[in-house]
């Protein structure tokens, strides 16, 4: 017999599906329920490598942590990694299988993957007491319903109930709830059990008349009203929905919303703060690498896209990217390339991670990602990069600055290091550092040692806090999400939904889906 299930859908992208899914997972596991997360298809440049060497979305990895289980490829069988506005790399069961345009994917390939994602979901339901699924975007995207494999397509085929989350902080939540249901077919509507209000501010009693009217209009209950809380988030997906001219700024806002970045109010330990500037390069990936820096008391992290914004930075980070050659061009166009070279020559700290490490090298030979052939790098590090068709997906463990370091690698570029001082899998020249290892700064001892080096080079009287545990902060974050569900949702009704499915006899709300 399959375990219980629930699909957490949303009225819009960024309505809070990932957070609610993680919160429900943490609430369930604290009740002794063996639970797993699932997202059939995820579009994100923020990814993670499982222990078996599979690439999945970081949100699903964090949801697995909420469940206190090891993440696997089953939890996110399809990952789309945008390479621009029109195409994405398709990662199937943790491995890249090709590059497709949006038209090519939605025109046929997506529907062919339905069997695979249903098999993954069935395997999880056969192993766990409950599987909490996360949808994508809105279930009422009527232009995409025919080939949908992540919202109602999953719910219909797996016969699992749907909870629709709406972000009331954006306004229009009642219309969004009603309209979402009213644009679904009768068969889809029969699985939409009710609603969950997210990010409510104020007196709930003022909202209750509206919830009663919504029930009268739809015949569906609201399963909870979650209050607005600063810093309630898990690892973000990305900002691909933001217009290109605004994207670098928006990515900074997106990245800086998580608990680790907002809830830390401890004063600096030393006399000075440390200022970190992160270059908001195009197709930025795994920008969560800097979360561990922002978790440190006295470290101020901001995203930048102009050379003058590097002037007062004690450390500049060039993060990963899905477009290394494009990022190089962008750095040159913005004048940031020259500013970075000057910093390196002056002995001012620069850290390049993955694609950011590659751009610091002498040259890049790319016939895979951009197909631009040989392109000159910034020439700051003695490194030559050649792009291989096979993607490196590993979970390395090593030592640097006398401390143990764990990380994960996701890259096509193969680096040949010809000089400098060894640093993880990369190198260091003066105060310029480069590595392919994502997540290395989450190793507390190494992060503190690295920040001490940066502070000394920058001439700052900054002292890392001796007791900051990034893993503990993440656990605290997930517990806060579980508390939110336990305290503000109808958990008895939620469990009945997970265990028994959508209530029978839910009314049809016209007009329904277009023919």
């Amino acid at each position: 017999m399959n375990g219980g299930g629930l699909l957490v859908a949303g009225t819009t992208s960024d309505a809070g599906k990932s957070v609610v899914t993680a919160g429900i997972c943490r609430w369930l596991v604290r009740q002794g329920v063996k639970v797993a997360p699932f997202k059939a298809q995820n579009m994100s440049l923020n990814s993670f490598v499982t222990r078996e060497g599979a690439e999945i979305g970081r949100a699903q990895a964090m949801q697995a942590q909420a469940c206190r289980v090891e993440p696997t490829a089953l939890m996110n069988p399809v990952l789309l990694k945008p390479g621009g506005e029109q195409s994405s790399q398709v990662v199937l069961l943790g491995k890249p299988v090709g590059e497709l345009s949006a038209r090519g994917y939605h025109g046929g390939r997506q529907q062919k993957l339905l069997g695979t994602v249903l098999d993954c979901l069935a395997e999880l339901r056969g192993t766990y007491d409950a599987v909490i699924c996360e949808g994508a975007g809105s279930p009422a995207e009527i232009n995409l319903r025919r080939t949908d494999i992540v919202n109602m397509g999953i719910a219909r085929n797996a016969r699992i109930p749907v909870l629709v989350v709406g972000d009331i902080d954006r306004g229009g939540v009642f219309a969004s709830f009603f309209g979402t249901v009213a644009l679904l077919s009768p068969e889809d509507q029969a699985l939409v059990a009710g609603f969950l209000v997210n990010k409510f501010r104020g007196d709930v009693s003022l909202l209750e008349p509206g919830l009663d009217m919504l029930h009268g209009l739809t015949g569906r209950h609201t399963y909870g009203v979650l209050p607005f809380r600063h810093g309630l988030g898990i690892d973000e997906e990305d900002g691909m929905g933001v217009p290109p001219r605004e994207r670098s700024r928006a990515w900074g806002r997106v990245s800086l919303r998580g608990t680790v970045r907002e809830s830390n109010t401890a004063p600096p330990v030393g006399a000075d703060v440390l200022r970190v500037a992160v270059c908001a390069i195009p197709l930025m990936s795994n920008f969560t690498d800097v979360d561990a820096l922002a978790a440190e008391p006295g470290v101020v992290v901001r995203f930048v896209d102009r050379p003058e914004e590097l002037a007062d930075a004690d450390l500049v980070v060039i993060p990963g990217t899905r477009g290394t050659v494009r990022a190089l061009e962008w750095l040159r166009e913005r004048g940031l390339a020259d500013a970075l070279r000057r910093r390196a020559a002056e002995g001012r700290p620069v850290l390049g991670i993955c694609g950011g490490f590659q751009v610091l090298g002498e040259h890049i030979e790319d016939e895979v990602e951009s197909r631009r052939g040989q392109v000159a790098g910034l020439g700051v590090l003695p490194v030559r990069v050649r792009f291989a068709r096979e993607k490196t997906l590993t979970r390395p463990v090593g030592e640097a600055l006398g401390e143990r370091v764990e990380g994960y690698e996701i890259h096509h570029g193969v680096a040949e290091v010809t000089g400098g001082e060894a640093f993880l899998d990369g190198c260091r020249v003066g105060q310029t550092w480069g590595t392919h290892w994502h997540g290395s700064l989450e190793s507390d001892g190494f992060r503190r040692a690295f920040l001490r080096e940066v502070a000394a080079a920058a001439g700052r009287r900054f002292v890392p806090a001796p007791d900051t545990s990034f893993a503990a902060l993440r656990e605290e974050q997930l517990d806060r999400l579980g508390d939110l569900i336990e305290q503000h949702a109808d958990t008895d009704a939620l469990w009945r939904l997970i265990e028994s499915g959508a209530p029978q006899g839910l009314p049809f709300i016209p007009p329904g889906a277009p023919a």
Side-chain angles (χ1 to χ4, degrees), residues 6 20 40 63 78 109 115 121 259 279 326 362 364 397 407 515:
L6 177 69
V20 169
Q63 288 162 355
V78 180
R109 180 62 184 269
L121 178 56
T259 294
C279 295
R326 182 173 165 188
E362 296 167 354
I364 296 166
V397 177

Side-chain angles (χ1 to χ4, degrees), residues 92-105:
L92 179 62
L93 294 174
K95 304 296 180 184
V97 294
E99 198 92 12
L100 278 180
S101 67
R103 181 181 293 275
Y105 183 69

Side-chain angles (χ1 to χ4, degrees), residues 235-258:
D235 289 2
E236 309 288 350
E237 292 183 352
D238 55 44
M240 285 306 293
V242 180
R245 287 183 302 172
E246 303 171 19
R247 187 162 298 139
S248 64
R249 291 295 186 188
W251 258 325
R253 292 196 298 271
V254 167
S255 173
L256 294 177
R257 279 188 317 202

